[in-house]
Amino acid sequence: MKRPTDVPPVTQEMIDLYDEYTHLTLDRRGFMDKLARLAGSSAAAAAIAPVLAANPALASIVEADDARLKGRDVSFETTAGPARGYLVMPAERDGPLPGVVVIHENRGLNEHIRDVARRTALAGFVALAPDFLSIGDGTPDDEDAARGMISALDPAAAVSIGLGAITYLADNPDTTGWVGAVGFCWGGAMVNQLAVRSPDLAAAVAFYGRVPDPADVPNIRAKMLLHYAGLDQRINAGIDGYRAALDQAGTDYTIHIYDDVNHAFHNDTSEARYDQAAATLAWDRTIDFFRDALG
């Protein structure tokens, strides 16, 4: 996405402001007012805001009709009611494959996360990307509306959807019964929640996810891989306590902190925050981790 030459470059302060808007209590008007002060004018803020946000036009690295894959929308049962998701696997396979639940950000199940599920499937897994808003009307196209719906989602209902997704994959004849989970931002926090609640989760990868209650950490049975962004002060404030709880519990875990990158560095639809080198390294580590932990 090109910006006019007279528009100031995106600064770290602008990125931090966007994080406050999308994850904390700042509303759209407050965000744009503050961004205008940082950028120098309302016009400059209007040009910069799309650079900070995700661009749906960049969402698909692996096309939905890729002949190497077989994908479809499915429904599955949870204690909160029927939920829906996107199931995708290699079109040709010699037998059952491990399963991986792919958990979306606070934007819901959008095309970017469907694309991440396809990348997971191309690496040799059966991937299920559940829509955590599907016990209602499902993920809307409007990302602000989706964030509001995620914020209003009952935490217990959300966990039940994640647990239902794990069970669905474990019982699916196309899988070996071994299931992992990977999540991003809100989804990273959900992966941590599932790890402390599901004895059936064998491997868990959280990208810049809020940490669980340290008192719950001894319940973790999964192997853990935790990716953090070096500039993500909001999420990183919980790392030391989480590390101490994992050590005390004797959990099999690895933490990677990627210096000088921002929250959401893996999301390649977000120009200002995406970091190709860190994203590639973290994804390669994730796939290698799943291959080792899930077989």
Side-chain angles (χ1 to χ4, degrees):
M1 182 182 298
K2 294 183 178 180
R3 298 186 297 276
T5 55
D6 59 341
V7 175
V10 174
T11 66
Q12 187 61 45
E13 193 172 6
M14 293 174 184
I15 292 172
D16 292 342
L17 178 65
Y18 184 76
D19 187 71
E20 180 185 356
Y21 162 54
T22 55
H23 296 96
L24 299 174
T25 59
L26 187 64
D27 63 16
R28 177 73 180 182
R29 174 176 290 184
F31 165 65
M32 291 304 296
D33 286 347
K34 290 185 176 182
L35 184 60
R37 289 196 288 272
L38 292 175
S41 70
S42 296
I48 289 172
V51 180
L52 295 169
N55 180 359
L58 302 176
S60 291
I61 303 300
V62 181
E63 296 297 334
D65 61 356
D66 192 304
R68 296 171 294 174
L69 298 173
K70 182 173 70 173
R72 69 184 191 277
D73 290 334
V74 298
S75 61
F76 56 95
E77 293 300 319
T78 82
T79 58
R84 299 186 299 276
Y86 175 56
L87 182 72
V88 60
M89 65 191 76
E92 296 183 5
R93 52 199 181 281
D94 295 331
L97 299 170
V100 175
V101 180
V102 179
I103 304 182
H104 55 68
E105 302 166 316
N106 64 352
R107 297 177 174 88
L109 180 54
N110 56 20
E111 182 56 29
H112 167 64
I113 294 299
R114 287 175 177 264
D115 183 70
V116 174
R118 291 192 287 270
R119 300 178 209 179
T120 305
L122 280 180
F125 302 93
V126 177
L128 173 63
D131 183 353
F132 283 76
L133 296 176
S134 62
I135 55 173
D137 295 329
T139 296
D141 292 334
D142 185 318
E143 290 193 350
D144 284 340
R147 280 193 289 266
M149 293 165 69
I150 289 289
S151 295
L153 188 61
D154 176 62
V159 168
S160 75
I161 293 171
L163 295 175
I166 292 170
T167 299
Y168 177 89
L169 278 183
D171 293 343
N172 192 303
D174 289 311
T175 78
T176 59
W178 287 84
V179 178
V182 58
F184 307 86
C185 183
W186 182 88
M190 181 53 59
V191 165
N192 283 325
Q193 291 301 314
L194 295 176
V196 302
R197 287 169 170 79
S198 174
D200 299 322
L201 188 65
V205 182
F207 277 77
Y208 28 82
R210 190 178 66 249
V211 305
D213 186 334
D216 293 332
V217 169
N219 297 329
I220 294 176
R221 297 293 176 265
K223 295 181 178 180
M224 304 292 294
L225 177 60
L226 308 169
H227 299 299
Y228 294 101
L231 300 176
D232 189 4
Q233 297 182 26
R234 176 177 58 88
I235 294 297
N236 292 357
I239 293 177
D240 288 346
Y242 196 13
R243 191 197 307 268
L246 291 165
D247 284 337
Q248 185 173 4
T251 308
D252 185 339
Y253 78 95
T254 301
I255 290 177
H256 293 294
I257 300 175
Y258 300 82
D259 294 336
D260 301 321
V261 301
N262 282 286
H263 185 88
F265 70 82
H266 183 266
N267 189 334
D268 41 26
T269 70
S270 180
E271 178 185 348
R273 295 175 296 160
Y274 173 62
D275 186 280
Q276 184 177 16
T280 299
L281 178 57
W283 188 248
D284 287 345
R285 285 170 166 168
T286 296
I287 295 303
D288 287 345
F289 172 76
F290 280 143
R291 287 173 176 161
D292 179 68
L294 302 177

